[in-house]
Amino acid sequence: MSDKPDDRHCDPCLLLTPALEIAIGAGRAILEIYEEGFQVESKADNTPLTEADLAAHKVIEERLRALTPDLPVLTEESAAIPFEERRQWRRYWLVDPLDGTREFISRSGEFTVNIALVEEGDPVLGIIYAPVLGIYYYACRGQGAYKREATSEPEQIHARHWNGGKATVVCSSATHSGKFLQNLLDNIGDYDVVCLGSALKSCLVAEGRADIYARLGPTSEWDTAAAQCIVEEAGGHITDTQMRPLRYNTKDSLLNPHFLVFGETKRDWSEYL
């Protein structure tokens, strides 16, 4: 009998270091294509797809399956698994191999590799790696959240309190703005706006550099799971517009509701929408 623990029951924090290495490996695959040039295709929903999405997917899926053979892997590029099968999963990997494909195409550098481990509907491990920026954020349940830059030691991060006054609001690219965001800004009144791509927006809240990020448009579960673990371990929150924490793999659709990312506060941000 093998001494290897069952992947379905082992401490998720034991998987953090090898999962970080997998994210970095996927980042290398993305950077090779980023530097050499690439073709852009369209998915069925008219969102862009590049060779880098597929290359990162291949690296992550193969290496996660080798690391934890007992655990399913659900990625943006393999999302057709029916709910009747998914609903049996107690623990699984939820991955966005390249979050921010539009930022990849525009060469802004603001794209990430997102890897989360989900257990009973809650993310218990999260990694967000920005290969061009050389920055990664990571967290494991009960162990805090951390940011590390390429040549620096890891730094524990904390979401900040907002007690009124000028708020720092994170927004997506112009393609994701609209009347809902404008309503939020109008109701806050006194604010600064920082625009950023991919899951880095949520990380800005996690590290205490912003107060609120409201995503009032379509996203999928792989867009938020890793960020949710990081934000929550930093003392913040990711909730729907009723202030309920996001949950995962609870329904047939993998789409998220509209959601809010905010720091340490008892303020009801839904009142600002």
Side-chain angles (χ1 to χ4, degrees):
M1 181 180 292
S2 171
D3 293 330
K4 181 181 180 293
D6 188 328
D7 302 324
R8 293 167 294 182
H9 302 98
C10 73
D11 181 351
C13 294
L14 296 176
L15 300 172
L16 182 58
T17 296
L20 276 167
E21 293 170 353
I22 292 170
I24 292 168
R28 289 195 198 100
I30 290 169
L31 287 179
E32 287 179 8
I33 295 168
Y34 189 72
E35 291 164 0
E36 293 174 1
F38 47 86
Q39 299 293 318
V40 181
E41 303 175 10
S42 292
K43 302 180 195 176
D45 61 359
N46 291 320
T47 57
L49 176 71
T50 71
E51 302 156 67
D53 294 84
L54 300 176
H57 164 82
K58 183 174 186 293
V59 168
I60 294 170
E61 185 170 51
E62 286 181 357
R63 296 186 185 178
L64 285 179
R65 291 193 188 284
L67 174 67
T68 52
D70 298 321
L71 297 187
V73 179
L74 179 64
T75 85
E76 182 175 9
E77 313 312 333
S78 63
I81 300 170
F83 183 55
E84 284 304 308
E85 178 179 344
R86 287 190 283 111
R87 72 192 305 172
Q88 309 300 321
W89 298 350
R90 175 183 172 272
R91 176 186 275 190
Y92 67 100
W93 294 104
L94 181 57
V95 175
D96 191 345
L98 200 170
D99 181 27
T101 301
R102 288 187 175 90
E103 286 77 14
F104 177 88
I105 293 167
S106 69
R107 307 189 74 86
S108 73
E110 295 175 356
F111 54 86
T112 59
V113 176
N114 303 347
I115 298 178
L117 182 66
V118 177
E119 186 175 290
E120 303 287 6
D122 296 316
V124 296
L125 179 155
I127 296 164
I128 294 173
Y129 174 51
V132 170
L133 304 178
I135 297 171
Y136 49 97
Y137 299 83
Y138 59 92
C140 183
R141 177 178 282 177
Q143 301 299 316
Y146 294 84
K147 174 184 179 181
R148 184 170 188 177
E149 301 188 42
T151 59
S152 304
E153 290 298 311
E155 174 187 358
Q156 190 165 9
I157 56 176
H158 304 277
R160 71 187 186 192
H161 291 276
W162 184 64
N163 295 315
K166 180 175 284 188
T168 299
V169 181
V170 188
C171 75
S172 305
S173 63
T175 56
H176 295 152
S177 62
K179 66 177 183 178
F180 293 112
L181 175 61
Q182 192 56 54
N183 286 342
L184 173 71
L185 297 176
D186 290 344
N187 289 326
I188 291 174
D190 190 10
Y191 59 84
D192 291 322
V193 171
V194 178
C195 290
L196 202 60
S198 70
L200 292 170
K201 296 181 291 294
S202 296
C203 293
L204 212 61
V205 175
E207 62 178 307
R209 294 173 56 198
D211 299 294
I212 176 75
Y213 163 47
R215 182 57 192 267
L216 306 171
T219 60
S220 297
E221 293 185 0
W222 46 75
D223 293 312
T224 54
Q228 184 163 349
C229 183
I230 292 165
V231 169
E232 290 180 347
E233 284 298 311
H237 310 272
I238 297 188
T239 73
D240 63 18
T241 55
Q242 303 301 310
M243 305 295 284
R244 299 171 298 200
L246 296 189
R247 300 268 299 160
Y248 296 86
N249 198 31
T250 62
K251 60 190 187 306
D252 182 64
S253 171
L254 290 165
L255 292 177
N256 284 322
H258 293 179
F259 66 85
L260 306 171
V261 185
F262 52 94
E264 294 182 332
T265 179
K266 294 182 179 178
R267 189 175 301 273
D268 185 351
W269 282 102
S270 66
E271 295 177 355
Y272 291 77
L273 299 178

